[in-house]
Amino acid sequence: MQITGIVSEYNPFHNGHKYLIDEHKKRNPNTHFIAVMSGNFTQRGEAAILNKWQRAHLAIAGGIDLVLELPFVFAVRSAQHFAYGGIDLLNKLGCVNNICFGSENTNKAELMQIAQSFFKPEFSSLFQNNISQGLSYAAAVSKTLSQITNVDEAILKAPNTILGIEYLKAIKMLQAPFDVDIIKRKKAQHNDLNYQNNFASGTAIRHCLYKDNINFSELKQVVLQETFFLLQQAYMQKNLPQEDNLFLSLLSKLRLAKLNDIKKIYNVNEGLEFKLLKAATQAKNRQELLDKLKSKRYPLTKLQRMLLYIILDLTKQQIDKFDKSGALYVRVLAFNEKGKYILRQIKEKSTLPIITKTTTYLDSKKRRQENLTTFEEMLSIDTYATELYNLCFNPVHIYGEDFITSPIYIQNKN
């Protein structure tokens, strides 16, 4: 029995995601699927359009058998850490045979050769030189890889190709015994805001939901029926996350902060703390704050993540500790009958604890204590991220949701 792992966000689950699963299943008819999925905030530092349990439910409806949460400390990071965290967790399960992902470039040999370039002696010096020119991490990586491999830099800038290369790099670093299946992305590209017949990117879908006049007939063509129902319901009930709701919390933190406390926050480097504190005295809303901080070196996605780190008090010291430990638990969000089989395999072959009831390991009282273990600290950040996410709604959503919500079991359709 084969088990295939997918690192995902499903924000929300759409026809492109279903296509990837179906295409891989054509080549591997007997495989089971595990999705390691970001929680309530995504890699770009944005609030997910639906909460993690809803998105996990939709993933099961679309063909996944077991959905696990990728801890916040890896999910809301740059592509290299997002990819490494996901591959590390899948590797630690002890039962995964394959990794599957979508990419604009499906030439496996070429992508593996590019991934190998990270380990060449010249990579470090070329990369540092490109960073010193003021490039962002992603831009410096793509330029460095192009310099080493002579592959067109435009190809390396394609978002899913970048992520795919990072998956391959992580597999090599971890010496994970995975076969790799790369599926050609179908029509709609990652940041494309236009619908392409029955396909649309997650960006396009999210974008349309914040319009005053949404075309539901178009939306219905690009997502599963289950996804359409939840999105339509959220839109009609005006129950979509509004990140502006976090602005006053953020502004109060910045305006009352001590300089050294801000300097400790992960990703606040190179004097950015001074720019942050100055912007906080002038900005009147979240977008204005981001606009005052944005630069060639600090693109919007990096800044969005950083603002979350500030609210959550996520420090460089903590991230360093988590990067050394990797994922420390298997947190179940949703599963079906095949997912039960996978969980039995994980229980037999992995040393990681399987979390189906958060209060077995952590509760709202314990997470406030000092001297938490690294395991408890990582899990507490996931739960605090949920509290933050639930403040993005009007009226605010329930407190302590992680402690009262069980994994969703979905029976297989006949």
Side-chain angles (χ1 to χ4, degrees):
M1 178 66 71
Q2 287 190 326
I3 297 176
T4 296
I6 298 175
V7 185
S8 60
E9 295 200 306
Y10 296 148
N11 186 34
F13 193 95
H14 54 66
N15 288 354
H17 299 130
K18 175 67 173 167
Y19 173 81
L20 182 141
I21 292 167
D22 290 346
E23 286 298 299
H24 180 72
K25 204 158 192 175
K26 286 178 186 176
R27 306 175 196 184
N28 304 271
N30 296 317
T31 198
H32 292 16
F33 287 95
I34 300 176
V36 170
M37 189 188 78
S38 56
N40 285 324
F41 288 93
T42 66
Q43 194 260 333
R44 293 172 58 86
E46 297 172 340
I49 201 73
L50 297 168
N51 75 38
K52 58 190 178 186
W53 294 283
Q54 291 174 310
R55 291 175 13 253
H57 186 163
L58 296 176
I60 300 293
I64 298 295
D65 300 305
L66 172 65
V67 182
L68 308 177
E69 182 173 357
L70 179 61
F72 179 95
V73 297
F74 306 112
V76 188
R77 301 275 297 282
S78 64
Q80 62 166 333
H81 299 294
F82 175 87
Y84 186 90
I87 296 297
D88 174 58
L89 179 51
L90 288 168
N91 188 42
K92 287 176 176 175
L93 301 180
C95 60
V96 176
N97 313 107
N98 301 314
I99 296 294
C100 179
F101 61 84
S103 175
E104 297 85 356
N105 183 344
T106 58
N107 186 330
K108 188 193 296 188
E110 182 176 60
L111 292 180
M112 292 185 80
Q113 180 187 4
I114 294 167
Q116 293 278 1
S117 300
F118 282 96
F119 304 96
K120 292 187 175 180
E122 62 267 36
F123 180 88
S124 181
S125 58
L126 286 170
F127 175 75
Q128 290 302 325
N129 182 58
N130 290 326
I131 280 286
S132 67
Q133 294 175 22
L135 296 180
S136 67
Y137 172 83
V141 165
S142 58
K143 183 173 181 180
T144 303
L145 293 176
S146 179
Q147 290 169 325
I148 294 174
T149 63
N150 293 320
V151 173
D152 188 341
E153 195 174 342
I155 294 173
L156 296 169
K157 285 183 176 178
N160 289 281
T161 296
I162 292 170
L163 203 48
I165 292 168
E166 291 290 354
Y167 291 141
L168 296 173
K169 182 179 81 170
I171 289 169
K172 179 175 173 57
M173 289 175 69
L174 292 163
Q175 298 183 322
F178 300 148
D179 289 329
V180 177
D181 187 19
I182 307 173
I183 308 293
K184 181 74 173 177
R185 276 189 67 86
K186 189 74 172 177
K187 296 181 181 178
Q189 299 306 309
H190 178 72
N191 289 318
D192 192 347
L193 294 180
N194 298 313
Y195 287 16
Q196 306 283 342
N197 297 323
N198 293 330
F199 292 91
S201 68
T203 303
I205 294 167
R206 295 190 301 274
H207 187 262
C208 84
L209 288 164
Y210 287 93
K211 290 181 178 179
D212 291 333
N213 298 308
I214 186 171
N215 187 329
F216 281 117
S217 61
E218 280 190 354
L219 178 61
K220 198 170 189 177
Q221 299 303 310
V222 300
V223 296
L224 303 186
Q225 181 179 348
E226 294 89 343
T227 303
F228 177 76
F229 173 77
L230 286 181
L231 293 178
Q232 184 184 45
Q233 184 182 58
Y235 181 88
M236 298 301 290
Q237 295 178 356
K238 297 183 179 179
N239 194 31
L240 295 168
Q242 306 289 337
E243 289 162 348
D244 286 347
N245 289 8
L246 300 178
F247 178 66
L248 288 181
S249 298
L250 174 65
L251 199 62
S252 63
K253 282 221 117 175
L254 288 171
R255 289 190 175 184
L256 301 177
K258 291 182 170 58
L259 182 62
N260 282 339
D261 290 338
I262 293 296
K263 287 172 70 174
K264 292 176 184 176
I265 299 296
Y266 178 64
N267 264 7
V268 177
N269 301 309
E270 302 165 334
L272 185 59
E273 61 272 17
F274 298 105
K275 196 173 181 181
L276 258 169
L277 295 177
K278 182 179 179 181
T281 67
Q282 302 169 335
K284 297 180 179 62
N285 55 58
R286 181 175 177 273
Q287 189 56 54
E288 190 175 331
L289 180 65
L290 288 167
D291 288 341
K292 289 181 180 295
L293 296 171
K294 191 167 56 175
S295 67
K296 187 177 179 182
R297 184 67 172 270
Y298 291 97
L300 186 62
T301 52
K302 184 171 184 175
L303 292 170
Q304 287 176 163
R305 291 191 294 262
M306 184 185 65
L307 297 186
L308 290 176
Y309 306 152
I310 291 169
I311 299 177
L312 291 168
D313 288 321
L314 189 55
T315 66
K316 295 165 186 164
Q317 185 179 24
Q318 287 176 297
I319 289 293
D320 183 58
K321 181 168 53 178
F322 298 139
D323 284 346
K324 288 174 181 174
S325 72
L328 293 173
Y329 44 81
V330 178
R331 190 160 185 214
V332 182
L333 295 177
F335 62 101
N336 60 18
E337 198 61 35
K338 289 182 179 178
K340 279 186 180 179
Y341 167 81
I342 300 173
L343 285 169
R344 287 195 294 270
Q345 294 293 303
I346 295 171
K347 191 172 183 179
E348 290 176 10
K349 298 180 179 181
S350 177
T351 58
L352 295 183
I354 298 173
I355 300 178
T356 56
K357 187 176 181 181
T358 306
T359 51
T360 302
Y361 300 93
L362 187 79
D363 57 30
S364 59
K365 184 178 180 180
K366 187 175 184 181
R367 71 178 174 180
R368 296 181 187 277
Q369 296 175 6
E370 302 289 337
N371 301 318
L372 296 179
T373 66
T374 305
F375 168 96
E376 292 167 339
E377 199 173 351
M378 186 181 291
L379 183 56
S380 73
I381 292 168
D382 290 346
T383 68
Y384 281 129
T386 297
E387 309 298 1
L388 200 59
Y389 178 77
N390 285 344
L391 293 177
C392 292
F393 296 86
N394 291 313
V396 298
H397 284 189
I398 189 171
Y399 174 81
E401 193 172 16
D402 277 297
F403 304 117
I404 60 173
T405 306
S406 300
I408 298 167
Y409 171 66
I410 301 170
Q411 287 187 314
N412 295 68
K413 295 177 182 179
N414 294 328

